[in-house]
């Protein structure tokens, strides 16, 4: 019997766990049930442990099987990373730009500038890494990313230079489940609540490492407030939904539009000296930008400026 490689075994296990049955899994994989069964047994013989718990229905991984599955996943990730690194030599004529961005910013920022950039440079390949700012900063410094896209460049690590668009404000969502909600008012006047009031409410926030969280943590320290953080999420959409559903107060940039609903929540504009954002694109300080990279920076800035100008005309 031919030896099953790691990627094929990972696929076998994925389908087997999906169906919980050897017969249905084999049918889905377009292989015979004896071949699938023997492939699993060969792995178990090599490892010296059972990886499938056959005493339950549907079938499940054993503890050793979960460890083996994690090993296969790591192999696949390493193989993908190696392929990406090798591509610069096997496709030397193709420009590859590696961008790091916050997951919560990707759905807003990327559609604003990537289509225009790729229209100008159709042969350029974009590789995205969506992660929190702190980890993407380290990837830039290690040479694993070419560009970092985020907000509030004053918080980024030394050794990284940036171009920014200009400051935007924030607003708070005050749901009707907290003390400071004011009935039947879509918007509260700026300054209607003190900073301490906002910080002492139940909070829905992004995790440590994000730009907005760094600012909020600074305010918590400044005003000596122990926060009541109900939940954290890297997704702006999730944070917005949870706050408007009454889970707690949150802070969102003006670029993230929330429809007023005064029976469920208030919207409170915040002064820029309290919270603000400044979208930026950054790169290693010791790197000299080439023409394609300069075009990426220029299109990023001009497209965001155009979007800001358009947003400012919307009532």
């Amino acid at each position: 019997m031919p030896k099953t490689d790691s990627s094929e075994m990972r696929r076998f296990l994925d389908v087997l766990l999906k169906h919980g049955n050897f017969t249905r899994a084999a049918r889905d994989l377009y292989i015979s049930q004896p071949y699938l069964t023997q492939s699993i047994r060969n792995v178990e013989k090599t490892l010296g442990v059972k990886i499938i718990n056959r005493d339950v229905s549907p079938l499940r991984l054993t503890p050793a099987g979960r460890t083996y599955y994690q090993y296969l996943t790591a192999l696949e990730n390493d193989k993908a990373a190696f392929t990406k690194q090798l591509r610069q030599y096997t496709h030397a004529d193709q420009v590859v730009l590696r961008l790091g961005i916050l997951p919560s910013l990707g759905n807003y920022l990327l559609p604003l500038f990537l289509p225009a950039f790729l229209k100008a440079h159709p042969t350029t390949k974009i590789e995205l890494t969506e992660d929190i700012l702190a980890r993407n900063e380290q990837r830039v410094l290690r040479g694993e990313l070419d560009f970092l896209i985020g907000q509030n460049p004053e918080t980024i690590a030394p050794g990284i230079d940036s171009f920014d668009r200009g400051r935007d404000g924030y607003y708070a969502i005050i749901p009707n489940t907290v003390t400071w909600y004011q009935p039947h008012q879509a918007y509260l006047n700026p300054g209607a609540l003190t900073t301490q009031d906002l910080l002492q409410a139940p909070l829905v926030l992004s995790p440590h490492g994000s730009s907005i969280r760094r600012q909020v943590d600074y305010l918590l320290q400044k005003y000596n407030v122990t926060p009541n953080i109900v939940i954290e999420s890297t997704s702006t959409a999730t944070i917005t939904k949870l706050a408007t559903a009454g889970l707690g107060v949150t802070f969102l940039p003006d670029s993230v539009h929330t429809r007023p609903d005064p029976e469920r929540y208030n919207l409170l504009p915040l002064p820029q000296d309290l919270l603000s954002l400044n979208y930026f694109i950054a790169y290693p300080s010791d790197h000299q930008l080439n023409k394609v990279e300069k075009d990426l920076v220029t299109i990023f800035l001009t497209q965001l400026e155009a979007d800001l100008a358009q947003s400012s005309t919307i009532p």
Side-chain angles (χ1 to χ4, degrees):
M1 176 177 292
K3 184 179 180 181
T4 304
D5 65 22
S6 61
S7 60
E8 187 175 38
M9 181 52 61
R10 164 75 184 275
R11 185 165 61 91
F12 284 3
L13 290 176
D14 282 339
V15 177
L16 181 58
L17 294 173
K18 172 185 174 182
H19 292 286
N21 176 282
F22 277 100
T23 301
R24 290 193 294 270
R27 187 182 303 123
D28 195 356
L29 289 163
Y30 297 98
I31 60 176
S32 69
Q33 185 268 331
Y35 179 87
L36 176 60
T37 301
Q38 191 59 46
S39 296
I40 299 295
R41 285 176 176 165
N42 287 344
V43 169
E44 292 177 327
K45 182 178 179 180
T46 299
L47 297 176
V49 292
K50 297 292 184 182
I51 64 172
I52 297 296
N53 184 352
R54 296 168 175 80
D55 296 329
V56 297
S57 181
L59 299 174
R60 290 288 183 265
L61 293 173
T62 64
R66 289 194 293 272
T67 300
Y68 176 64
Y69 186 87
Q70 292 168 359
Y71 164 74
L72 293 178
T73 301
L75 284 181
E76 289 295 296
N77 292 339
D78 289 345
K79 182 179 178 181
F82 171 73
T83 301
K84 285 183 179 181
Q85 292 174 356
L86 194 63
R87 189 178 183 87
Q88 62 183 309
Y89 305 108
T90 58
H91 296 74
D93 57 335
Q94 183 179 49
V95 177
V96 178
L97 294 181
R98 302 164 300 172
L99 309 183
I101 191 168
L102 280 165
S104 59
L105 294 183
N107 63 344
Y108 165 61
L109 291 181
L110 295 177
L112 293 181
F113 73 94
L114 272 187
F117 172 76
L118 291 174
K119 183 178 181 180
H121 298 278
T123 62
T124 298
K125 179 178 175 59
I126 301 294
E127 294 180 354
L128 285 178
T129 299
E130 296 181 281
D131 204 347
I132 63 172
L133 181 66
R135 287 198 285 264
N136 274 339
E137 284 178 342
Q138 293 306 308
R139 292 186 178 101
V140 171
L141 293 171
R142 292 195 301 263
E144 298 169 7
L145 289 176
D146 301 306
F147 287 96
L148 171 64
I149 296 171
Q151 56 193 37
N152 300 320
E154 63 274 7
T155 66
I156 61 177
I160 303 176
D161 290 342
S162 65
F163 295 94
D164 60 79
R165 187 196 67 178
R167 295 176 71 191
D168 285 342
Y170 269 82
Y171 63 94
I173 295 178
I174 315 295
N176 59 12
T177 54
V178 304
T179 303
W180 301 281
Y181 165 76
Q182 298 184 23
H184 318 304
Q185 294 194 45
Y187 295 92
L188 302 183
N189 292 326
L193 297 175
T194 68
T195 303
Q196 288 91 335
D197 288 339
L198 290 171
L199 297 176
Q200 289 172 358
L203 298 175
V204 180
L205 298 176
S206 56
H208 291 291
S210 70
S211 296
I212 176 59
R213 182 59 181 273
R214 289 180 180 182
Q215 293 184 80
V216 173
D217 285 345
Y218 168 76
L219 292 174
L220 290 168
Q221 183 178 19
K222 177 180 178 181
Y223 290 97
N224 195 28
V225 173
T226 300
N228 173 17
I229 300 173
V230 180
I231 197 168
E232 298 176 343
S233 173
T234 59
S235 168
T236 299
T238 300
I239 288 172
T240 304
K241 289 289 187 180
L242 292 175
T244 57
L247 208 57
V249 169
T250 197
F251 310 99
L252 296 173
D254 291 341
S255 54
V256 178
H257 304 293
T258 300
R259 185 184 300 275
D261 188 346
E263 303 310 312
R264 297 174 60 213
Y265 51 81
N266 310 132
L267 301 177
L268 172 66
L270 300 173
Q272 287 193 1
D273 60 356
L274 184 67
L275 290 174
S276 66
L277 69 80
N278 185 351
Y279 293 123
F280 68 84
I281 183 166
Y283 60 97
S285 301
D286 58 1
H287 178 68
Q288 186 72 31
L289 297 181
N290 59 37
K291 183 183 184 304
V292 174
E293 293 168 336
K294 289 179 179 177
D295 284 352
L296 177 69
V297 172
T298 299
I299 292 172
F300 173 85
L301 296 174
T302 55
Q303 293 297 115
L304 264 64
E305 283 294 342
D307 180 71
L308 178 61
Q310 181 180 7
S311 299
S312 65
T313 65
I314 300 176

